[in-house]
Amino acid sequence: MNTADALAVLDAPPDADVDPDELVRAAMQWHFSPETGTPFWLARRDTLGFDPRTDVRTRADLRLFPQVVDDLRHTPVEDLLPRGYGGAAEVIGVFESGGTTGAPKRVVYLADWMEREMAQAMRAMDERGYPRGVNWLSLGPSGPHDYAELTGQHARRRGGLRFAIDFDPRWVRRCLREGRPEEAERYLDHVLAQAGDVLASQHVGAVQAPPPLLERLARDERLVDLVRGQVQVITWCGTSMDRDTRDLFTREVFPGIPVYGLYGSTMALGAAFERPVTDDGDSVFDSPSVNVTYEVVDPGSGEPVAVGETGQVVMHHLSKSALLPHNRERDMARRAAAPADRVGHAVADVRPVEAFTGVPVIVGAY
Amino acid sequence: MAAALPGSPGTAVAGPAPAAAPGPPRFLDALVPEGTYRTGRRETVRDVAGRPVAELTLAPALYVGRTLDRLRRRPAVAAGWPAAERADRLRAAATAFTGARLGGLDPEAHHRLVARTTGVPVAVVRAAAETVAAALAHAVAAVERARPRGALPADWRHADTGAGGAVVWRRRGHLLSVNASGNHPAVHSLWPEALALGYRVAVRPSRRDPFTAHRLVLALRSAGFADEDAVLLPCGHQAADELIRGGDLAMVFGGDEVVARYAGGRSGTPVLPQGPGRVKVLVTGAWEPYLDVIAESVGGLGGVSCLNATGVLVERDATGFAEALAERLGALRPLPPEHEDAGLPCLPAAEAHRVEDFLRQRAAGTRAVLGGGVHDLADGSAALRPAVHLLAGPGAEQLGVELPFPCAWVAPWSPADGTAPLRGSLVAGVATDDDALVDAVLAEPSVRNVYGLDRPTWWLPPGVPHDGFLAEFLMRATALARG
């Protein structure tokens, strides 16, 4: 494949029917050619032990890639810009991972990728009946995180104003890590109070929040009433939510208000909206696009598991703007049957890997 | 109380035990103000051989938080009953708990189930049920023993509070949260006193033994307690935080780590910790007359209770004593927990090996008189054999290393050592003619109970404080003066 062919595939309109293996070959050609490639990948080309432009032909071949995202903790972000943009790439932002497992990893969001991601998001929202022309309240991280940018884009593209409440998850994690849950509690109160001010004084038709903030909101009757009175859709994102908590939201806390999850990763530069119908009671997410796909693999062998089996979530991002293949997330999920026209696996009952650790020895009788 | 030491040590045990077939897994739902609650995400409760026996609901944190928010707002229905009615209903609950078919289980099936999942010998489980029932039946009388003499009885009338004023004994809240453990079913003999005092109680059962608390709550409901007064909320760790935070007061059972996590008021809820007992005994004269009761203190109840003796201090011939104790405890046979003669606790084999490894680590530098260790029962479970180790002196740190099986650390003691080695004991069993020594042990603030060795350290009839009266934590004397 030459550069022109690769570009034709990578630049195909978001609704074009792109062959997923063609996209793999195009991405390899683009990111590993000396003329168009990404410095980050060019620097690794000789140590990979395979030639991506000839050896990586199909989606299954993506498994050849080692886990490289840890290198994004210290890579200068300029090295992530493909040369093919000719120094003219429009950077929407530099975004960082949560920082749960050490120094944060950084990625760059380019404008052309944002258009694709938002085209996918708008289509998903349309399919789910998200309103247009209402205002949004988003509670969540700004600063180095992609959340505020993405939720701002969501609101703007659906013709609404966006109210933002800032929330620093790193501070909360630090409080908990240092054994200061009361400080985390106090901070959450501080965040929720600000949401109360917006809900009480402004027109708000849509709310976006991570589950812990939504759960907090659900404990405050005044806030619950303010949401029930005007909000038409609720989106949760950022961390997983178990099915029973989701059922409490939809049946008891916010009856009649659709509640959808949004599952993704900063390292995948994209996210999927929850399917309107559950998979055996669990929230389920189809891979969002041909560019951003999920797989559920056996944690030991790395091989894909069968539909119905549980394994670790792997995410692939393949686009003109970035190449982040074969990234193992810290999530476990059950592989659900995916619709015929979708690339990648569908993931259900997503939960953190930590929830799968063993039980410590019992010492002492009490 | 359990008589866990077998009378016939010669009983032979052949091959894998014919374990009781557990039958199809049953659903164990949360018992909530609306009746029952079953979640989609559940935990499979397994017996010690790893076979699934129940599907336990795990209430999410949001459910726990919202439920407790509502329960905290109003006093218990039972708070409006006369004390006599509370006593009647608690007695009825005791009768149901020991005798009735509840949740589809008759008492014997319940005892076998608890024995199979906790590994606690079935005779110990059965005796624990009697302990719980006795606590229920006597709860109203027991809490009355804790009432300050200066405070009016619960049936006071406003006429009693005239010009000179009076003191009423008042609840500190409406709702007690209990984070229970599953090492021994009688952990559930403590919180019924809260019901007797007019509290509502929300219990998070252990995931090893959710059955005892489930049965107890069903028994209370069958005796007329309102669904919202006795609540069972099985849940994971995150939701457990919410349970503690959501109570007006909380009682937390667990190891040092769990207790340290919640004690100190970090959750904003006053917490009464129920940690390891680190029970010790001391014999100043001849130990021979006390050998039986010390063996019972170490090995009774399967050795799984916080009231079992861990450290043994003897003034004369510690080596001889350790050998004699080892001989007594060595008579305990490893048997499957549902076996009537079982006296030793069982665990899943892998877990039993971890306990054994821990024992070996901690025993380094001591003399193993009876080595303990794992006896594989060949069905995936294993019994923990008794252990007796001899320490060089009473200052050895092992004296307080409490493990969930009959495990004793024996150390020589001399009067010069004083009471320091007994510090931090839930019970100090002291056999001595020296009343001054008993007084000195009583004066040691970290020792919570002092018994003579005329009874095992786990002696605890209703009305005797376990770690102080629970009512000391739940109630407050309040002045009321209106002329």
Side-chain angles (χ1 to χ4, degrees):
Chain A
M1 186 181 275
N2 61 35
T3 298
D5 292 340
L7 266 178
V9 176
L10 293 168
D11 280 339
D15 54 357
D17 190 12
V18 173
D19 179 280
D21 291 336
E22 280 273 295
L23 179 69
V24 169
R25 292 189 285 273
M28 295 304 133
Q29 174 66 24
W30 176 258
H31 288 285
F32 285 97
S33 296
E35 308 79 41
T36 61
T38 305
F40 174 84
W41 285 114
L42 293 173
R44 283 162 180 74
R45 191 178 47 182
D46 295 337
T47 54
L48 286 173
F50 59 91
D51 182 348
R53 285 191 291 172
T54 54
D55 298 340
V56 179
R57 319 271 321 150
T58 67
R59 290 182 44 80
D61 296 336
L62 293 174
R63 244 171 282 149
L64 289 170
F65 279 98
Q67 178 99 351
V68 297
V69 292
D70 281 332
D71 293 353
L72 299 178
R73 299 182 198 278
H74 49 77
T75 297
V77 292
E78 292 84 354
D79 289 355
L80 300 176
L81 299 175
R83 287 177 185 163
Y85 284 87
E90 185 189 341
V91 178
I92 297 272
V94 176
F95 297 121
E96 296 183 357
S97 62
T100 310
T101 52
K105 302 174 280 252
R106 290 179 193 83
V107 294
V108 288
Y109 245 90
L110 302 190
D112 61 329
W113 171 248
M114 182 63 82
E115 288 307 313
R116 280 177 186 278
E117 172 63 11
M118 284 301 131
Q120 177 273 128
M122 291 307 113
R123 195 169 56 238
M125 286 187 183
D126 289 341
E127 287 165 3
R128 287 157 182 78
Y130 273 64
R132 289 185 181 272
V134 303
N135 295 339
W136 289 60
L137 169 61
S138 61
L139 296 87
S142 59
H145 307 280
D146 60 10
Y147 184 92
E149 178 65 33
L150 296 175
T151 56
Q153 297 262 359
H154 287 158
R156 191 154 67 245
R157 288 168 192 253
R158 292 199 86 72
L161 305 175
R162 194 273 298 258
F163 303 100
I165 307 294
D166 193 20
F167 169 73
D168 181 356
R170 292 178 187 170
W171 176 249
V172 171
R173 275 198 293 272
R174 183 170 163 185
C175 290
L176 297 177
R177 196 169 61 235
E178 292 177 356
R180 299 178 168 198
E182 73 286 359
E183 288 191 17
E185 291 294 310
R186 193 162 164 253
Y187 181 60
L188 291 173
D189 281 343
H190 168 65
V191 173
L192 258 293
Q194 299 172 59
D197 289 340
V198 174
L199 287 166
S201 62
Q202 302 296 326
H203 301 290
V204 175
V207 167
Q208 276 183 323
L213 285 174
L214 215 47
E215 291 192 31
R216 191 86 184 178
L217 192 155
R219 300 282 297 281
D220 186 319
E221 282 184 4
R222 175 175 155 266
L223 294 185
V224 168
D225 285 342
L226 287 168
V227 169
R228 282 178 178 166
Q230 57 175 339
V231 170
Q232 298 170 40
V233 66
I234 295 169
T235 313
W236 55 267
C237 34
T239 57
S240 58
M241 183 190 291
D242 66 85
R243 59 193 281 174
D244 300 302
T245 300
R246 181 207 59 210
D247 287 348
L248 287 173
F249 278 122
T250 55
R251 291 173 193 170
E252 296 193 16
V253 185
F254 303 120
I257 303 177
V259 176
Y260 290 105
L262 184 58
Y263 175 61
S265 164
T266 304
M267 290 302 109
L269 297 112
F273 281 79
E274 184 182 356
R275 249 190 233 167
V277 178
T278 64
D279 183 76
D280 194 21
D282 289 311
S283 293
V284 57
F285 303 86
D286 293 308
S287 293
S289 66
V290 67
N291 303 99
V292 176
T293 52
Y294 307 153
E295 276 186 289
V296 184
V297 305
D298 180 285
S301 70
E303 294 295 316
V305 302
V307 169
E309 288 179 10
T310 294
Q312 192 168 4
V313 178
V314 166
M315 295 192 186
H316 307 283
H317 176 103
L318 307 168
S319 73
K320 184 180 171 185
S321 76
L323 175 66
L324 292 160
H326 201 213
N327 177 31
R328 283 212 195 185
E329 290 288 329
R330 296 186 60 77
D331 287 328
M332 302 293 281
R334 185 176 72 248
R335 181 181 172 189
D341 60 343
R342 287 284 181 157
V343 184
H345 296 178
V347 296
D349 193 20
V350 179
R351 54 180 105 180
V353 168
E354 287 81 4
F356 279 74
T357 53
V359 181
V361 63
I362 296 164
V363 176
Y366 23 80
Chain B
M1 282 290 176
L5 295 179
S8 54
T11 314
V13 187
R26 60 185 65 243
F27 287 108
L28 212 66
D29 300 333
L31 301 172
V32 298
E34 296 76 24
T36 60
Y37 170 58
R38 182 177 300 172
T39 53
R41 199 179 266 190
R42 294 181 296 267
E43 174 158 310
T44 302
V45 180
R46 295 174 186 278
D47 73 359
V48 285
R51 287 175 301 190
V53 295
E55 287 281 308
L56 177 65
T57 274
L58 292 182
L62 180 61
Y63 185 89
V64 172
R66 276 167 49 87
T67 301
L68 268 51
D69 283 348
R70 275 181 295 145
L71 293 181
R72 254 192 341 264
R73 268 179 222 143
R74 286 195 309 275
V77 175
W81 299 343
E85 183 176 354
R86 285 208 286 272
D88 286 346
R89 291 192 190 274
L90 285 164
R91 270 193 297 273
T95 305
F97 184 74
T98 47
R101 190 177 173 84
L102 293 168
L105 288 177
D106 61 37
E108 268 311 304
H110 167 77
H111 298 149
R112 277 198 307 277
L113 194 56
V114 172
R116 284 301 303 168
T117 58
T118 61
V120 174
V122 70
V124 176
V125 172
R126 199 178 293 121
E130 294 296 334
T131 303
V132 172
L136 286 165
H138 297 97
V140 168
V143 300
E144 185 60 16
R145 287 167 60 103
R147 178 170 57 87
R149 291 178 59 192
L152 292 169
D155 59 354
W156 64 274
R157 296 288 172 267
H158 281 278
D160 305 334
T161 65
V167 177
V168 296
W169 206 34
R170 201 181 49 143
R171 283 179 287 275
R172 291 174 70 196
H174 300 313
L175 173 65
L176 173 69
S177 295
V178 178
N179 190 22
S181 57
N183 54 300
H184 186 275
V187 297
H188 297 291
S189 65
L190 297 179
W191 59 261
E193 289 188 4
L195 297 170
L197 290 162
Y199 269 85
R200 17 177 71 142
V201 179
V203 182
R204 176 196 181 225
S206 141
R207 294 193 263 184
R208 270 170 84 198
D209 173 19
F211 308 105
T212 301
H214 189 261
R215 183 172 177 83
L216 182 45
V217 170
L218 288 181
L220 289 162
R221 290 178 172 196
S222 78
F225 277 87
D227 286 358
E228 63 203 79
D229 281 2
V231 170
L232 181 82
L233 289 170
C235 58
H237 292 294
Q238 195 201 340
D241 287 353
E242 208 59 69
L243 180 97
I244 306 299
R245 198 179 299 126
D248 290 316
L249 298 162
M251 194 175 184
V252 174
F253 291 83
D256 290 326
E257 208 175 305
V258 173
V259 164
R261 178 177 163 83
Y262 293 115
R266 276 201 335 224
S267 62
T269 305
V271 170
L272 183 68
Q274 302 287 322
R278 302 206 161 86
V279 170
K280 297 171 200 78
V281 301
L282 166 61
V283 184
T284 59
W287 48 257
E288 287 81 356
Y290 302 103
L291 180 59
D292 285 347
V293 77
I294 293 172
E296 263 298 89
S297 295
V298 173
L301 313 184
V304 299
S305 168
C306 61
L307 292 163
N308 281 111
T310 295
V312 185
L313 301 157
V314 286
E315 188 175 12
R316 297 186 196 166
D317 184 20
T319 305
F321 171 82
E323 285 164 357
L325 179 64
E327 194 185 328
R328 292 297 170 102
L329 294 176
L332 289 162
R333 318 292 302 176
L335 287 167
E338 71 278 11
H339 198 291
E340 279 304 321
D341 295 330
L344 293 169
C346 297
L347 287 173
E351 212 175 308
H353 282 286
R354 287 201 293 274
V355 172
E356 182 183 19
D357 290 347
F358 185 82
L359 172 70
R360 301 276 176 257
Q361 279 172 28
R362 301 309 299 266
T366 72
R367 188 192 140 202
V369 183
L370 184 63
V374 167
H375 177 92
D376 202 319
L377 291 168
D379 66 348
S381 70
L384 291 165
R385 289 180 177 280
V388 177
H389 289 83
L390 189 62
L391 307 177
E397 53 158 16
Q398 286 93 343
L399 206 63
V401 174
E402 178 175 307
L403 288 166
F405 65 97
C407 174
W409 308 92
V410 179
W413 178 90
S414 72
D417 296 314
T419 60
L422 294 171
R423 280 183 193 149
S425 303
L426 180 56
V427 176
V430 185
T432 182
D433 296 330
D434 181 357
D435 286 348
L437 178 61
V438 174
D439 287 343
V441 177
L442 263 177
E444 169 52 52
S446 67
V447 171
R448 274 91 84 205
N449 301 291
V450 181
Y451 299 171
L453 280 178
D454 54 338
R455 66 203 73 205
T457 52
W458 38 260
W459 176 80
L460 189 67
V464 170
H466 172 252
D467 187 356
F469 285 117
L470 180 59
E472 294 170 36
F473 176 64
L474 296 179
M475 304 297 279
R476 175 169 286 154
T478 300
L480 177 61
R482 52 195 287 261

